[in-house]
Amino acid sequence: MARNINALYTDVCDRSRRIALITSIESTLYWDQSVYLPPQGGDYRAEQTAYISGLTHECWTDQRFGDELEELVGSELAADPDSDSAVVIRKLKRARDKKTKLSQTLVEELTRASILGQQAWQEAKRASDYAKFQPHLEKMIALKREQAQAIGYTDALYDALLDDYEPETKTAEANAVLVELRKQLVPLVANISESKKKSPHEIVCRRFPEAAQATFVVEAAKAMGFNFDAGRLDVTEHPFCTTMGPKDCRITTHYYENHFNAAFFGVLHEAGHGLYEQGLKAENFGLPVGEAVSLGIHESQSRLWENFVGRGLPFWRHFFPAAQMAFSEALGNVALDDFYFAVNDSRPSLIRIEADEATYNLHILIRFELEQDLLGGALTTTDLPGAWNEKYEKYLGVRPKNDAEGALQDVHWSAGLIGYFPTYSLGNLYAAQFFDQAKKDLGDLDERFAKGDFSTLREWLRENIHKHGQRYSAAELARRVTGRPLSPEPLMRHLNDKFGALYGF
């Protein structure tokens, strides 16, 4: 019997790896679509990707796969909940149970709508014309409602979609921690806005040649530990990180010659995602023990490197001399403290990906609220641009001048990523809590960063977070690593200390 159970487990693992292989093909198609695909290739790419999604769905819903998992659930291989085998069995069964509730037709239609929607979004954003995109969003919202209804939920329709990105987290739970964060952010942002001190922001708006930026960001990513022999950096409209295989992680950015922060910190962000992917055990690729636990935890890794490391003064004590050499015309006569203040400029803004640490989460709260209203029917796609503009004026005191600055700003809704946005703020909270614990465990990280040593932190992250894969839920991982549940306190302490020092309050 033991050999039979082991044989079943081997077959289940093989099936999971085959699914990952097919999914990796879809990831490659998505990367090509975002980086190289010619505009007129979009329609056929939608058919290619829909076919791959359908094939993946067939593998997930295969009856033999389900029967084997059912038998393994009660076996000795699942007895120790923290063992590799138990994690694989538990997570695969959970994922399959959700997949079997969706028809193959719906899966293929969602994929097709996503590809066509992204093509339409790019065109609409370039033209700043929401009307070009609105029919695609209308269709996507209808499909996501159908998906959520099919999966089922206890309290909120949104729960079914949030679970795709933040497993085992309910809308009410996310709301509770994010509302508390908002309450504490509002007075901080007010203090910054009322301060008489202003950052020399124009420093990072000087001319930074694209070629020099491309060289400089690669050196920074290498210093963090991103392995370019198992990854690469390319240019796209909306930066992202994707993994095609255990030793093939792609990151992207978008260069602006008159805005240093966008590409540089964007690369640190995506390289942080990449370090998580490269820190997972390659031999477990395709199994839950070799995959990230949630997007909130994934985002914690990118935000930790981008903000807690990359926007810190110790980081620039090491990198600023190299930056002055790379951009001598823009930075040759700039003092380190002025540059540090400039890259940490805080002010209400319209563009999420360019927002500073203090205001960023308000951008997320706006999207979180709007997509819940869209899904639930309290807001129509026709009224979205107006609702978007009203919330920006209410929360941040700024109002978009056009659709490109407003409701067309992000790719997520065109791609069907409803339920994704709150993971960004959850990631900021996890990042602060993890970094706080790392400093307690490792001692003076500032001194290490100033000397260009980022390996100590990277290895701490691999040991405490990356290596576990999906062994624990996001909430349980945070408790195990930091000894406490997720809280806004570490992030708010970091923000108050940092911006209080910069802005004099």
Side-chain angles (χ1 to χ4, degrees), residues 186-435:
V186 170
L188 169 64
V189 173
N191 284 338
I192 294 171
S193 297
E194 293 165 5
S195 172
K196 294 181 179 179
K197 292 186 68 176
K198 303 299 177 185
S199 83
H201 184 249
E202 63 83 20
I203 290 172
V204 294
C205 299
R206 297 172 181 175
R207 183 174 178 271
F208 295 86
E210 181 175 327
Q213 286 192 62
T215 299
F216 189 60
V217 297
V218 166
E219 291 307 309
K222 285 181 178 178
M224 289 165 55
F226 184 79
N227 181 4
F228 280 93
D229 288 333
R232 58 179 291 127
L233 172 65
D234 291 280
V235 178
T236 190
E237 176 67 25
H238 194 101
F240 65 94
C241 170
T242 190
T243 295
M244 282 83 148
K247 296 182 180 180
D248 185 359
C249 179
R250 313 287 178 95
I251 60 175
T252 65
T253 194
H254 193 97
Y255 296 104
Y256 299 89
E257 291 215 329
N258 296 109
H259 190 195
F260 173 81
N261 285 13
F264 184 79
F265 292 106
V267 169
L268 295 196
H269 181 99
E270 301 305 338
H273 281 303
L275 286 175
Y276 190 3
E277 292 294 313
Q278 292 180 345
L280 295 166
K281 293 182 179 179
E283 65 270 23
N284 287 333
F285 183 79
L287 300 176
V289 285
E291 297 175 353
V293 59
S294 78
L295 285 188
I297 297 298
H298 224 310
E299 189 69 10
S300 78
Q301 302 306 283
S302 60
R303 286 291 167 182
L304 189 151
W305 286 102
E306 176 193 356
N307 291 332
F308 291 84
V309 179
R311 292 185 191 269
L313 186 58
F315 179 92
W316 288 107
R317 291 193 191 283
H318 174 71
F319 271 106
F320 190 57
Q324 287 183 302
M325 290 182 63
F327 311 106
S328 57
E329 183 179 336
L331 300 179
N333 296 319
V334 173
L336 171 59
D337 286 347
D338 289 337
F339 179 77
Y340 169 67
F341 199 176
V343 298
N344 284 290
D345 174 73
S346 179
R347 67 183 71 190
S349 62
L350 293 166
I351 310 301
R352 174 185 63 85
I353 61 173
E354 298 173 8
D356 59 87
E357 287 182 85
T359 61
Y360 181 86
N361 291 295
L362 295 177
H363 292 262
I364 298 304
L365 284 161
I366 289 170
R367 289 153 175 79
F368 184 34
E369 293 172 5
L370 288 173
E371 66 182 13
Q372 289 182 75
D373 288 344
L374 282 169
L375 191 70
L379 177 66
T380 68
T381 58
T382 302
D383 293 334
L384 174 64
W388 180 290
N389 295 348
E390 290 297 323
K391 282 188 180 289
Y392 261 81
E393 194 156 34
K394 176 182 177 182
Y395 282 38
L396 288 158
V398 293
R399 192 176 184 91
K401 297 188 294 292
N402 54 56
D403 290 336
E405 290 182 343
L408 290 176
Q409 189 183 131
D410 298 293
V411 69
H412 299 63
W413 291 337
S414 71
L417 302 179
I418 313 296
Y420 194 119
F421 276 120
T423 69
Y424 287 123
S425 285
L426 293 173
N428 282 328
L429 295 171
Y430 283 125
Q433 204 152 311
F434 289 145
F435 192 67

Side-chain angles (χ1 to χ4, degrees), residues 80-148:
D80 177 3
D82 291 340
S83 67
D84 281 4
S85 58
V87 173
V88 168
I89 294 165
R90 181 173 67 250
K91 294 295 184 178
L92 287 179
K93 186 178 186 307
R94 188 178 193 275
R96 186 184 180 278
D97 286 348
K98 288 182 66 176
K99 302 286 187 184
T100 55
K101 294 177 180 179
L102 305 178
S103 70
Q104 184 165 330
T105 299
L106 176 58
V107 170
E108 292 178 358
E109 187 57 30
L110 278 163
T111 303
R112 188 177 293 108
S114 170
I115 301 301
L116 295 176
Q118 289 174 76
Q119 296 286 327
W121 167 77
Q122 288 185 347
E123 181 182 345
K125 185 178 180 183
R126 282 193 290 266
S128 191
D129 185 357
Y130 175 78
K132 291 178 180 292
F133 173 60
Q134 192 261 340
H136 292 270
L137 180 59
E138 182 74 27
K139 182 173 184 178
M140 180 58 74
I141 294 296
L143 288 171
K144 298 306 285 189
R145 286 193 191 114
E146 186 178 348
Q147 176 186 340

Side-chain angles (χ1 to χ4, degrees), residues 478-489:
R479 282 192 293 269
R480 285 175 176 266
V481 174
T482 70
R484 51 183 166 162
L486 185 63
S487 165
E489 189 272 330

Side-chain angles (χ1 to χ4, degrees), residues 432-446 457 460 464 481-484 489-490 493:
Q433 204 152 311
F434 289 145
F435 192 67
D436 194 48
Q437 188 64 42
K439 289 189 295 184
K440 293 175 182 176
D441 292 350
L442 299 174
D444 193 355
L445 284 174
D446 286 354
L457 174 62
W460 184 91
N464 288 279
V481 174
T482 70
R484 51 183 166 162
E489 189 272 330
R493 176 162 31 86

